[in-house]
Amino acid sequence: MNWEDPHVHPLELTPDGNLLLAVNTADNRLLVFDVAERNGPRLVSSIPVGLDPVSVRARSNSEAWVVNHISDSVSIVDLRRGVVTATVYTDDEPADVVFAGRPERAFITCSQVNRVLVVDPRRPDAAPRRLTLKGEDPRALAVSPDGRFVYAAIFESGNGTTLLGGGLTIPDAFPPNVVSDPRGPYGGVNPPPNAGTTFFPALNPENPPPPPVGLIVRKDDRGRWMDDNRGDWTDLVSGPNASASGRRVGWDLPDRDLAIIDTASLDVSYVSRLMNLNMALAVHPSGSVTVVGTDAHNEVRFEPNVNGRFVRVLMASVDPRRPSSRSIHDLNPHLDYTTPTVPQALRDLSVGDPRGVAWNARGTRAFVTGMGSNNVVAVAPNGARLGQVDVGEGPTGIVYDAGRERLYVLNRFAASISVVSADRLRELSRVAFFDPSPVAIKAGRKHLYDTHKTSGLGHVSCASCHIDARMDRLAWDLGDPAGEVKSLEGQNLGMGLPMPPFEPFHPMKGPMTTQTLQDIIGKEPLHWRGDRASLEEFNPAFVGLQGDDTQLTPKEMAELRSFLATLTFPPNPFRNLDNSLPRDLPLPGHYTTGRFGPAGQPLPNGNAQRGMELFRPPSLLAMGLFACNTCHTFPTGLAVDMTWDGSKWLALPTGPMGETRHALASTDGSTNVSLKVPQLRNLYEKVGMELSQKESLSGFSFLHDGSVDSIARFVTEPPFNPENDQQVADIVALILSFSGGDLPRGSLTDMYLPPGPDSKDSHAAVGQQVTLADVTPAELARALRFMSLADSGKVGLVVKGRRMGLARGYTYLGNGQFQSDRASERVNAFLLLASAAAGAELTFTVVPSGSEWRIGVDQDEDGMYDRDELDRGRRPDQPNDSRRFVEGVSAPLATMVP
């Protein structure tokens, strides 16, 4: 199951410099390498941790903390014994951990809930202190040289852009059509020109007039809201007439990029206006903070104008004592961005998708990894390029070894460690490690991420906007004034239900938010309008949008399709542990809209079970004509790829590539009349724009263009008829809890309740853990709860730890029985539970159903269980390996690079 979760700090040296720690995300393990030897790194242990580890930090030479993104946990690892000794429970999607302050505390970012947990490492089971950050998706952490301050990078900080409404057709809908307001800089002309008083490219005279649409504006350094034609919209965004855009006077989008946490007081301050995606952090020996990431130019309209040049790769330097004294440098100074395509030799100099940064001891060189460009670039403090070296595919983490003047680089996609000479920038060796990922992932991933291969300047890729196969939280106007109208031929228009007339797709479609790539294969047609029949119809974007010379070959396109088909939605953070819908869900950050009382008040707790009743027949919440579930079917939210013949739902034939024909609707109230009914499984990731408040964390949220600021706002739009704010809260709770399956399906004979397509998503319990040492009643109850869930067959359960001094693994069979990693041995659950003790810790982990055998007892899936292989002197991570292997003294899998 591929969640494609991002590395944050996946590589670390112990304080004495003797051990290199690396997360093996695909295999759910911490790898420990000995680098003290001349021919190192040498793998000395592979320690099971939680699901999708993304960061590791050494607290000492003998203790490491590993952050498990899917498990919502931190594994505390005894490096000497090679075992997890305790599990720290976190909030949703933890990303990084550091140690700082006096007394020492652990600081853990929890990205989905915008929090930092403060944990006492001497009492990791005690309740943490929670700090809420005013920014979306905090991830990477760093510590000041004196240990007084902790720095947190806000990954989805935004870039000061937001959407002004202009494409709604329903009277009194939100937001108002301010782009058409005569008080605007163009007197109400919509769409406004982008080149003085005209359009560039010029309008195609064969087309009908373009529809009025929304407009993206960006706050400049003066605090003015400007469009790409130097039109000033400030008066209608934050000024005296802000209500014209649905905002409050003084509304702001602060664009906070770096949080500074005082470990003594736990006060938080911020640095703003660095870049859009803050990917990695490092502290310069002087104490200044270095941030690397990317900045998007989504305020520029039309695909021909942004072709190959829609993103910049940046390094920012900030003196935390003077946060306003920032300097920002383009990490690709050889590019002038005057053309979308340059010769391949120049492209190969570029760095793309930077995910790691480290300084040398003197502070004269920063080393930045390009996950998309498969290289490491050396940069001076002033941003000047000093050199580069190619490494393995997908480099993320990087560590500087001052004693040996070396760099260690974790190549995630290649599953290897590169050893690089820091002074000569030469790769000295490459050490491979085990990667259980299927061929579909290994072969197809590069077509999403590789910036040198898939773009004209070498610094962008599909993943520049579809970050980690997800979203950049921005909207883009990628229309083309010179383009052609596309017909609706072959589309499933309205599922055969009575709907208003549909209209062909105009090439000037207006802004549309970036969509996730999770579970899109088999859910065609694609894009907001459904104007791409299959993935293959995006192939021209490699040339027209990314500036490359050629499109992907049919074989490469098939590889990309197979890779995308592995992408899965993660466990839903709002579901109960048994995957049921919550009945009393707090809704912080969700507000009333003013339909039933004062606007901007906190919504009451929501009951998602009641929300489901409102979503389905007999409730006809949509204009009194349809149920929400008629179009947004369970479990995905998509419409069916069927049509109603008057008495039953009939399946439609698939296309030549196996593509489906999910329905379009014409009832969205948009000037883009024909829109695909969108899926609803990641809407909780799009919360953050809130126009009832004076400040928002995001400039885009819901509807195809991101103009509707909240879920509550959407369900209180004029076409919908909830009766009060409690019903609104109940529907919000349902929508937040949408992913996870286990929702009632429709019927082939019910017009209002069609049966929706299947969903690639995860049970809410997947990843959950408990480590048993001195077993408490609460821990025992948690382990027994896991067994009960596994008995249902919806999840698997594994146990890892040490028994009688040996590393062991177990897979739950059901009915209180575990299969051990010796084929001849089964263990009663209560005997296994009773064996847990300090020094013989056991960690229980809930895993996706079907993966429990690989994770629990047969790491390489060769049919011989792990302990049996170890007993025979064979490697458990090498299928059919006949070489002798002594546990704890593994030979390196190294390739010397000439």
Side-chain angles (χ1 to χ4, degrees):
M1 188 169 285
N2 180 22
W3 296 291
E4 200 67 8
D5 286 321
H7 280 179
V8 179
H9 189 273
L11 203 61
E12 174 88 330
L13 275 175
T14 52
D16 61 10
N18 290 331
L19 296 179
L20 180 69
L21 313 177
V23 299
N24 186 345
T25 304
D27 203 26
N28 314 310
R29 289 172 178 260
L30 174 67
L31 305 180
V32 182
F33 295 89
D34 185 340
V35 294
E37 297 180 3
R38 184 173 181 180
N39 294 326
R42 178 174 61 86
L43 180 65
V44 294
S45 59
S46 174
I47 305 165
V49 288
L51 298 192
D52 271 24
V54 296
S55 291
V56 58
R57 301 279 184 169
R59 185 175 171 230
S60 68
N61 294 325
S62 60
E63 181 180 296
W65 289 40
V66 180
V67 179
N68 307 305
H69 197 70
I70 288 294
S71 285
D72 295 340
S73 69
V74 174
S75 299
I76 301 178
V77 179
D78 184 327
L79 297 173
R80 293 194 175 110
R81 295 193 297 123
V83 67
V84 173
T85 60
T87 295
V88 180
Y89 307 134
T90 71
D91 296 339
D92 193 41
E93 296 188 354
D96 202 1
V97 59
V98 293
F99 307 96
R102 296 180 183 176
E104 182 187 62
R105 294 289 185 269
F107 293 78
I108 305 167
T109 47
C110 296
S111 58
Q112 199 278 319
V113 292
N114 304 333
R115 290 189 196 126
V116 172
L117 305 188
V118 185
V119 175
D120 184 347
R122 296 164 299 181
R123 299 177 58 239
D125 57 338
R129 175 82 176 268
R130 286 175 165 83
L131 306 179
T132 297
L133 301 187
K134 296 179 180 179
E136 286 291 328
D137 207 354
R139 295 188 189 177
L141 291 168
V143 180
S144 63
D146 62 3
R148 171 70 185 271
F149 296 96
V150 168
Y151 309 114
I154 310 298
F155 189 83
E156 294 176 348
S157 71
N159 61 351
T161 60
T162 191
L163 197 287
L164 302 183
L168 295 179
T169 61
I170 300 173
D172 300 321
F174 190 94
N177 286 327
V178 66
V179 180
S180 303
D181 194 307
R183 292 171 292 181
Y186 305 98
V189 173
N190 187 359
N194 71 321
T197 59
T198 62
F199 287 95
F200 182 81
L203 293 171
N204 183 343
E206 301 297 321
N207 289 341
V213 291
L215 180 69
I216 298 169
V217 293
R218 186 168 188 160
K219 185 170 69 172
D220 66 14
D221 288 335
R222 302 169 300 155
R224 310 295 295 180
W225 295 95
M226 310 293 290
D227 64 29
D228 62 343
N229 196 25
R230 300 184 63 80
D232 190 338
W233 296 83
T234 307
D235 178 64
L236 303 172
V237 177
S238 58
N241 292 307
S243 61
S245 66
R247 292 164 170 82
R248 297 174 59 179
V249 174
W251 179 85
D252 197 14
L253 184 65
D255 186 17
R256 302 182 183 97
D257 294 276
L258 182 71
I260 303 174
I261 303 170
D262 186 327
T263 62
S265 64
L266 298 184
D267 291 337
V268 183
S269 58
Y270 298 92
V271 177
S272 299
R273 303 187 64 76
L274 301 180
M275 59 195 74
N276 177 42
L277 297 166
N278 298 278
M279 295 176 167
L281 286 181
V283 177
H284 187 272
S286 68
S288 64
V289 183
T290 301
V291 185
V292 297
T294 60
D295 196 42
H297 286 271
N298 60 310
E299 76 279 9
V300 179
R301 283 179 286 167
F302 308 136
E303 184 169 317
N305 297 329
V306 299
N307 183 15
R309 295 159 290 188
F310 49 85
V311 159
R312 302 291 187 270
V313 181
L314 303 180
M315 180 177 81
S317 181
V318 177
D319 183 345
R321 296 164 298 184
R322 300 192 304 275
S324 61
S325 63
R326 62 189 188 276
S327 60
I328 301 174
H329 310 286
D330 192 323
L331 285 174
N332 291 307
H334 60 288
L335 301 177
D336 62 14
Y337 307 105
T338 58
T339 175
T341 307
V342 296
Q344 188 65 48
L346 278 180
R347 300 182 212 182
D348 291 344
L349 296 177
S350 297
V351 60
D353 210 342
R355 296 302 178 104
V357 58
W359 284 97
N360 65 6
R362 300 187 304 276
T364 56
R365 285 185 171 191
F367 303 97
V368 179
T369 59
M371 186 177 77
S373 49
N374 304 326
N375 59 3
V376 175
V377 297
V379 183
N382 64 0
R385 180 73 70 85
L386 301 176
Q388 74 173 64
V389 58
D390 292 337
V391 289
E393 187 181 359
T396 53
I398 185 167
V399 171
Y400 172 71
D401 185 342
R404 301 172 183 87
E405 195 59 24
R406 286 181 175 180
L407 299 169
Y408 304 107
V409 180
L410 176 55
N411 306 308
R412 179 182 182 180
F413 302 161
S416 65
I417 304 287
S418 288
V419 182
V420 175
S421 168
D423 54 354
R424 292 181 293 161
L425 281 184
R426 176 171 173 263
E427 188 179 28
L428 304 175
S429 64
R430 194 177 295 178
V431 180
F433 55 80
F434 176 65
D435 179 2
S437 301
V439 172
I441 294 176
K442 295 177 181 178
R445 208 177 222 158
K446 58 181 172 288
H447 305 305
L448 180 72
Y449 291 100
D450 194 321
T451 63
H452 285 178
K453 180 183 183 298
T454 65
S455 72
L457 300 182
H459 77 303
V460 299
S461 68
C462 302
S464 295
C465 296
H466 296 284
I467 310 297
D468 303 308
R470 294 174 175 83
M471 311 170 291
D472 59 4
R473 298 292 306 274
L474 300 177
W476 298 80
D477 189 338
L478 298 180
D480 183 357
E484 298 178 355
V485 173
K486 185 175 183 179
S487 78
L488 297 173
E489 183 180 357
Q491 295 284 357
N492 179 6
L493 301 178
M495 304 177 287
L497 300 179
M499 288 192 182
F502 288 80
E503 292 183 6
F505 303 120
H506 197 285
M508 290 181 67
K509 55 192 174 182
M512 296 191 174
T513 57
T514 306
Q515 293 182 299
T516 183
L517 302 182
Q518 295 158 300
D519 194 21
I520 65 167
I521 303 303
K523 304 295 191 297
E524 298 85 4
L526 303 176
H527 225 248
W528 278 106
R529 299 192 297 181
D531 54 5
R532 302 291 193 274
S534 68
L535 183 70
E536 284 68 23
E537 288 199 16
F538 283 101
N539 206 352
F542 287 99
V543 176
L545 180 58
Q546 294 176 201
D548 202 6
D549 307 297
T550 60
Q551 300 180 26
L552 297 189
T553 66
K555 177 179 181 292
E556 291 170 333
M557 206 70 202
E559 290 173 343
L560 176 59
R561 168 188 281 270
S562 295
F563 164 67
L564 295 179
T566 70
L567 299 174
T568 304
F569 285 93
N572 186 287
F574 300 99
R575 295 279 190 107
N576 299 319
L577 188 65
D578 64 358
N579 212 42
S580 62
L581 296 175
R583 294 180 181 270
D584 189 26
L585 182 67
L587 298 173
H590 297 267
Y591 300 92
T592 59
T593 63
R595 179 164 173 175
F596 304 109
Q601 303 302 305
L603 278 176
N605 288 6
N607 183 332
Q609 292 276 1
R610 279 204 304 259
M612 184 173 66
E613 295 168 5
L614 292 166
F615 204 78
R616 289 165 56 82
S619 172
L620 301 181
L621 201 66
M623 300 173 286
L625 300 174
F626 299 108
C628 298
N629 218 187
T630 305
C631 290
H632 292 288
T633 64
F634 289 151
T636 64
L638 287 168
V640 292
D641 57 342
M642 298 178 172
T643 186
W644 179 252
D645 74 346
S647 62
K648 60 184 178 300
W649 290 101
L650 299 176
L652 296 172
T654 58
M657 303 297 298
E659 64 270 22
T660 52
R661 295 170 61 192
H662 290 85
L664 275 58
S666 58
T667 56
D668 208 30
S670 167
T671 54
N672 277 285
V673 171
S674 305
L675 286 167
K676 178 185 175 182
V677 177
Q679 62 88 21
L680 303 179
R681 290 164 290 176
N682 67 333
L683 295 197
Y684 68 87
E685 295 277 12
K686 302 182 75 172
V687 171
M689 183 182 179
E690 183 54 70
L691 300 187
S692 71
Q693 307 297 302
K694 290 288 289 285
E695 178 180 296
S696 290
L697 302 183
S698 174
F700 309 89
S701 280
F702 304 101
L703 209 64
H704 68 279
D705 58 3
S707 62
V708 176
D709 59 333
S710 69
I711 301 173
R713 183 86 67 184
F714 186 86
V715 301
T716 55
E717 291 278 52
F720 303 107
N721 53 12
E723 296 178 358
N724 50 55
D725 281 325
Q726 183 59 62
Q727 287 193 354
V728 172
D730 295 341
I731 298 169
V732 170
L734 170 69
I735 292 175
L736 293 175
S737 309
F738 211 92
S739 62
D742 284 347
L743 295 170
R745 296 299 186 102
S747 166
L748 286 171
T749 58
D750 188 334
M751 183 184 78
Y752 290 104
L753 200 61
D758 291 336
S759 176
K760 288 181 71 68
D761 55 25
S762 310
H763 190 284
V766 164
Q768 294 299 299
Q769 297 189 286
V770 63
T771 296
L772 306 181
D774 297 322
V775 183
T776 67
E779 291 171 339
L780 178 61
R782 187 170 171 86
L784 293 174
R785 182 82 184 279
F786 292 169
M787 290 168 55
S788 176
L789 289 171
D791 278 326
S792 73
K794 294 181 179 178
V795 296
L797 178 63
V798 303
V799 180
K800 291 288 186 176
R802 299 191 77 85
R803 291 188 78 199
M804 292 181 278
L806 295 177
R808 300 300 307 273
Y810 303 86
T811 290
Y812 186 59
L813 299 173
N815 298 315
Q817 294 293 313
F818 282 86
Q819 171 65 54
S820 87
D821 52 10
R822 286 187 173 122
S824 61
E825 179 185 40
R826 290 188 178 183
V827 181
N828 178 273
F830 289 98
L831 289 177
L832 188 63
L833 289 165
S835 69
E841 298 88 352
L842 296 175
T843 298
F844 289 64
T845 304
V846 181
V847 299
S849 180
S851 68
E852 62 268 24
W853 293 96
R854 176 185 65 80
I855 296 174
V857 296
D858 187 8
Q859 184 182 1
D860 56 16
E861 297 182 285
D862 65 352
M864 181 174 286
Y865 290 175
D866 295 342
R867 195 70 239 174
D868 288 333
E869 293 200 79
L870 287 167
D871 291 344
R872 290 166 173 76
R874 295 170 56 171
R875 294 180 60 99
D877 61 356
Q878 295 293 307
N880 302 314
D881 186 1
S882 61
R883 292 173 293 173
R884 294 292 297 172
F885 170 76
V886 179
E887 188 174 359
V889 288
S890 168
L893 303 174
T895 301
M896 299 306 295
V897 179

